[in-house]
Amino acid sequence: MLGNIHSIESCGTVDGPGIRFVVFFQGCPMRCMYCHNPDTWEFKVNQKMSVEEILAKYENVKEFLKNGGLTATGGEPLSQIDFLIELFKKAKEKNIHTALDTSGVLFNKDNTQKIDELIKYTDLVMLDIKHIDPTQHHKLTGHTNARVLDFAKYLSDKKVPVWIRHVVVPNITYNKTQLTKLGEFLATLNNIKALDVLPYHDMAVPKYENLGKEYPLKNIPPLTKEQAMDARNTILESMKATRLKMTQG
């Protein structure tokens, strides 16, 4: 089986625990306004690679992957779920820690057979929740968040370790009401191992220009570190308050 792979980063430091071997899958149904990898959107042939080829490349650098493993990102890895299952299965046979970075937008709660198989070989899911409001999520990405939140609940029920990722964008997700609602939702999950609140940046602008694409958020300033900390504290305080209410009945 061959996968449609955009690129590989041999020593990633922001794609899961430790130093990671990061496989970027080609193709994504979402069109996030702040996406910094628009070159991974199209479901076109980029480079075909086999699981064996990918793991051979991993073996060449494994000595440098301290406390790390293999991360599948994109694009959207779930768009090639059969290949992803094979990759993670073969990786686990080699005792490689596996992490999936996904939006969860392709999850279907009425047909989980392949996802059930995938999580057998998945050590960690990094779930990107783009916006807690379904209408605003659609405006931001082109899709509602129904399947994303369903996937979060599914992973919680299955007790799959999750890192929640949330990009905070001025005038879009940097909103106390929405951040509080996000915290209320996250409080209902029992598998969260980390919360990454990522400040929006505009470093992808040159890439959009090179691709001949207009950058959708060109008038939005980057989020400051202080604002990102404020957003994270709002989410955590909301989670804590919601869980307290849940325990009190």
Side-chain angles (χ1 to χ4, degrees), residues 41-246:
W41 285 351
E42 300 301 327
F43 289 92
K44 63 183 181 181
V45 174
N46 198 280
Q47 58 174 325
K48 293 291 188 179
M49 296 186 69
S50 68
V51 167
E52 290 73 21
E53 287 176 301
I54 292 173
L55 293 181
K57 289 181 178 294
Y58 179 95
E59 290 294 323
N60 288 337
V61 297
K62 67 180 181 180
E63 289 80 7
F64 302 101
L65 304 176
K66 185 177 180 180
N67 300 318
L70 185 151
T71 297
T73 185
E76 175 51 68
L78 293 182
S79 66
Q80 300 181 59
I81 191 167
D82 293 326
F83 182 80
L84 180 61
I85 290 171
E86 183 178 332
L87 175 62
F88 275 16
K89 182 178 181 179
K90 295 296 185 182
K92 292 311 300 175
E93 289 175 0
K94 294 177 176 290
N95 295 316
I96 298 171
H97 182 279
T98 56
L100 168 64
D101 182 10
T102 177
S103 71
V105 74
L106 294 178
F107 177 73
N108 182 352
K109 65 180 180 180
D110 297 320
N111 184 8
T112 66
Q113 183 177 356
K114 288 185 178 181
I115 290 289
D116 292 342
E117 181 70 11
L118 174 64
I119 64 170
K120 293 178 184 178
Y121 316 112
T122 304
D123 293 308
L124 174 70
V125 174
M126 292 179 287
L127 180 61
D128 301 308
I129 298 182
K130 312 293 184 178
H131 206 299
I132 194 61
D133 180 83
T135 302
Q136 292 301 314
H137 191 282
H138 189 280
K139 182 178 179 180
L140 180 64
T141 71
H143 294 261
T144 70
N145 63 5
R147 293 190 171 200
V148 179
L149 302 187
D150 283 344
F151 189 45
K153 295 172 186 174
Y154 165 89
L155 293 170
S156 179
D157 291 342
K158 296 292 185 178
K159 296 180 172 55
V160 178
V162 164
W163 285 10
I164 296 295
R165 286 182 156 183
H166 184 62
V167 178
V168 183
V169 187
N171 304 327
I172 299 178
T173 51
Y174 187 50
N175 176 293
K176 188 174 182 64
T177 298
Q178 299 302 329
L179 292 169
T180 299
K181 288 182 179 179
L182 176 59
E184 291 171 351
F185 172 76
L186 295 181
T188 67
L189 309 177
N190 59 25
N191 59 337
I192 298 176
K193 303 303 179 183
L195 171 64
D196 291 337
V197 174
L198 308 173
Y200 161 76
H201 61 73
D202 58 4
M203 291 186 288
V205 172
K207 184 178 287 187
Y208 278 77
E209 292 175 348
N210 291 336
L211 293 171
K213 297 179 181 292
E214 183 176 355
Y215 187 64
L217 302 181
K218 58 184 178 182
N219 295 320
I220 301 294
L223 197 81
T224 67
K225 291 182 179 179
E226 292 75 18
Q227 289 172 320
M229 183 62 68
D230 174 63
R232 189 174 192 275
N233 289 337
T234 298
I235 296 171
L236 291 175
E237 289 169 6
S238 176
M239 290 176 66
K240 183 178 179 180
T242 302
R243 283 176 174 164
L244 181 60
K245 290 179 182 178
M246 291 166 63

